[in-house]
Amino acid sequence: MSMNSMIETRNLVAGRWEQGAGTVANVNPSDLSDVIGHHAQATVAQLDSSVDAARRAQRKWWASGIQKRHDVLMAIGTELMARSEEIGRLVSREEGKPLAEGKGEVYRAGQFFTYFAAETLRQIGDHAQSVRPDIEIDVRREPVGVVAIISPWNFPVATPAWKIAPALAFGNGVIWKPANLTPASAAAMADIIARQDIPEGLFSMLAGPGAEIGQQLVEHSGIDAISFTGSVPVGRGVAATAIQNMTKVQLEMGSKNPIIVMDDADLDLAVSHCAGAAFGGTGQKCTAASRLIVHEMVHDAFVEKLAAAARALKVGHALEKGTQIGPAVSAAQLEGNLGYVELGKSEGAELVCGGNRLERPTEGYFMAPAVFAQTTNDMRINREEMFAPITCVMKAGSYDEALTIANDSEFGLTAGIMTQSLARASHFRANMRAGTVMVNLPTAGTDYHVPFGGRGASSFGPREQGQYAVEFYTAVKTAYVYAGAAE
Ligand code: NAD
């Protein structure tokens, strides 16, 4: 049994913490005997009152001005950073990532708020001369209104933070629907926001099943914009609904990120980056490296070293010292992972290591990181996002062939190349169809002050993060003013 305390969380409805229509149990994937708590499931009536309150509060928030918004965002960010150990532990306990990653995620969430606190003060606009006499033109940005934010479980604090922070910074109201698997860390962040001096109901958090409260939120006529991160099928449905209502929409979805390893690469660095990007976070990252395209000259040595690196990774309880890879987040996720291992074998890929469920002192969803070799890009394991600690190696005879394979995917989030050739690195930067390209770096691991997003089925709509975030969270207004003819 766990020595941790039970956390009974409610929903933040129009400024008040309320019970909902029943609760769901929140279970630690590293230790199924550790029931973290129970979480209230929001109702449609609570959604309606949250949206009404947010519409009223948003106007007051916008009117309160940039210094106020700056101070509130700075306070939220500072508290998240100061409490990163405590809330990070909660993230690790309910999501299953190692403690250092949980803590790092919460600290990063704080940085998103302090970054966007500063952005509130950068309000330099555009002024234009009219083609007609005595008319002045300016182009300004206004809040888009009330934004629905829908986030997944794999970065339960950082992902909503990089959406909530710009939404509030640019003067919007927010209704946040967190993932149902990670309610305790969501409630912790919502509590920090709710305690600020903000208009009542400006920010609400409503948890529940995506197909119910999530869908009702997306369909709600009081929502002006939807920022969604999650899977492609759900994203496609969100977009279809948004178009029906003419609601502004932004989607961040799946991926199948490649890393090309060339014959001139520093092989040990390549192995370390590929293993880190493939297996970190149990492979449950949208930036995970799942297709490793390796030049034939170094292929066999690479596979051998990668398998050795995978075998050496310590898989265990997320809160245990020394753990490098935690469990899969849920029974369904583990079952899906093991299903992909079977699928790979049935497609003719060679399972070099891992792929089996692991026993640990506590009962949890642990599996050994898996490396498939002898794979081809038409196999389903190379086409579908697995979101698992499984990576697939493909052999390429040349850089051109490797690039063609890398680009042959419906996704385009991140992509990397390991090479010492500046010419190849430059060609890759220019010709890789992806939102983010990495040279001699892993596909996972991005900064917080520059844009993030992908191409193809990975993303839809304006970019997130950095100064590019303004595009989604604001509406542009062009004002023409005739001040009378000059004397
Ligand atoms: P998911 O699509 O199942 O759920 C995402 C969120 O949408 C959850 O909050 C869920 O409750 C909600 N949802 C589900 N059905 C809904 C509906 N009909 N209407 C409205 N909301 C609904 O994804 P997940 O399993 O939570 O997360 C894993 C996925 O997220 C992976 O595909 C991964 O690639 C993606 N992801 C993408 C990025 C990125 O930035 N590109 C980052 C992290 C995760």
Side-chain angles (χ1 to χ4, degrees):
M1 286 301 283
S2 164
M3 295 170 62
N4 291 306
S5 54
M6 275 281 238
I7 301 165
E8 308 293 338
T9 48
R10 299 179 176 199
N11 290 300
L12 179 63
V13 180
R16 290 176 303 279
W17 290 98
E18 294 186 359
Q19 301 284 12
T23 58
V24 288
N26 182 10
V27 177
N28 181 344
S30 298
D31 175 0
L32 306 188
S33 73
D34 176 23
V35 177
I36 299 164
H38 295 91
H39 193 69
Q41 304 288 282
T43 66
V44 183
Q46 289 173 331
L47 170 61
D48 287 341
S49 61
S50 296
V51 173
D52 284 349
R55 297 203 73 79
R56 284 193 299 275
Q58 185 270 324
R59 288 190 285 274
K60 292 186 200 151
W61 178 236
W62 174 236
S64 70
I66 59 175
Q67 186 66 52
K68 177 76 190 171
R69 299 206 303 276
H70 168 274
D71 295 350
V72 165
L73 268 90
M74 196 56 99
I76 297 168
T78 306
E79 183 168 345
L80 279 167
M81 288 190 270
R83 293 174 58 198
S84 59
E85 177 98 41
E86 169 211 342
I87 301 173
R89 190 180 159 80
L90 207 47
V91 170
S92 296
R93 196 174 157 207
E94 66 181 354
E95 199 273 351
K97 63 183 66 181
L99 196 50
E101 289 175 38
K103 185 181 166 187
E105 173 177 345
V106 177
Y107 195 87
R108 172 54 60 92
Q111 290 174 312
F112 282 113
F113 277 94
T114 56
Y115 172 83
F116 281 105
E119 280 299 291
T120 60
L121 303 178
R122 290 196 189 92
Q123 297 286 327
I124 308 299
D126 292 327
H127 175 83
Q129 292 184 347
S130 172
V131 295
R132 292 167 284 168
D134 303 321
I135 291 176
E136 299 262 321
I137 300 175
D138 71 42
V139 182
R140 52 181 74 183
R141 289 188 179 272
E142 296 181 349
V144 71
V146 175
V147 183
I149 288 173
I150 300 174
S151 54
W153 45 264
N154 65 329
F155 284 97
V157 177
T159 301
W162 80 56
K163 298 173 186 291
I164 296 167
L168 294 179
F170 297 119
N172 299 286
V174 170
I175 313 290
W176 173 30
K177 211 294 284 169
N180 230 7
L181 284 170
T182 47
S185 54
M189 182 158 73
D191 173 61
I192 295 175
I193 300 170
R195 280 191 280 101
Q196 305 303 319
D197 179 20
I198 53 176
E200 193 176 70
L202 178 72
F203 170 83
S204 285
M205 183 202 71
L206 304 172
E212 292 168 33
I213 199 74
Q215 185 66 31
Q216 287 148 357
L217 172 61
V218 167
E219 287 171 3
H220 205 288
S221 60
I223 295 296
D224 300 293
I226 304 162
S227 183
F228 168 87
T229 296
S231 60
V232 175
V234 176
R236 198 170 268 132
V238 168
T241 308
I243 298 302
Q244 285 296 316
N245 294 346
M246 297 296 175
T247 307
K248 196 171 182 181
V249 65
Q250 170 187 67
L251 312 170
E252 293 295 344
M253 299 167 288
S255 61
K256 202 67 197 167
N257 310 303
I259 297 181
I260 294 174
V261 179
M262 288 307 301
D263 49 351
D264 64 352
D266 174 335
L267 209 57
D268 288 331
L269 187 67
V271 167
S272 156
H273 283 349
C274 290
F279 305 127
T282 320
Q284 298 170 153
K285 289 185 185 177
C286 55
T287 50
S290 60
R291 296 184 300 141
L292 308 178
I293 306 160
V294 184
H295 193 279
E296 60 188 11
M297 296 296 287
V298 292
H299 175 272
D300 293 357
F302 175 85
V303 171
E304 197 177 307
K305 282 171 180 270
L306 181 68
R311 285 193 194 99
L313 287 167
K314 190 167 178 293
V315 181
H317 194 301
L319 297 177
E320 206 174 275
K321 206 162 180 276
T323 291
Q324 292 169 293
I325 308 288
V329 72
S330 65
Q333 196 70 26
L334 178 66
E335 199 182 311
N337 297 355
L338 298 174
Y340 272 115
V341 173
E342 289 312 308
L343 175 69
K345 287 195 272 188
S346 74
E347 286 184 303
E350 178 200 341
L351 182 62
V352 183
C353 67
N356 51 300
R357 192 166 181 178
L358 294 172
E359 300 284 322
R360 288 293 177 263
T362 50
E363 195 192 347
Y365 304 124
F366 305 106
M367 76 174 270
V371 175
F372 273 120
Q374 309 300 335
T375 74
T376 54
N377 205 38
D378 56 353
M379 290 178 178
R380 278 179 58 199
I381 52 169
N382 274 320
R383 304 220 73 89
E384 296 173 17
E385 180 177 53
M386 298 188 268
F387 231 49
I390 305 172
T391 198
C392 303
V393 181
M394 286 176 271
K395 199 185 275 185
S398 66
Y399 165 72
D400 287 343
E401 190 194 346
L403 181 64
T404 302
I405 295 170
N407 271 323
D408 177 17
S409 170
E410 67 167 315
F411 300 110
L413 189 61
T414 67
I417 188 166
M418 300 296 304
T419 182
Q420 302 201 18
S421 157
L422 182 60
R424 272 188 196 135
S426 301
H427 186 274
F428 178 79
R429 280 170 65 165
N431 293 285
M432 182 68 221
R433 181 178 164 276
T436 310
V437 291
M438 304 285 195
V439 176
N440 293 323
L441 286 166
T443 46
T446 55
D447 287 1
Y448 61 91
H449 64 303
V450 286
F452 176 73
R455 290 166 72 163
S458 292
S459 289
F460 182 84
R463 280 281 182 271
E464 301 203 76
Q465 303 181 19
Q467 295 202 321
Y468 286 63
V470 74
E471 202 53 51
F472 180 73
Y473 292 100
T474 61
V476 170
K477 181 176 279 176
T478 310
Y480 293 80
V481 178
Y482 174 64
E487 297 206 345

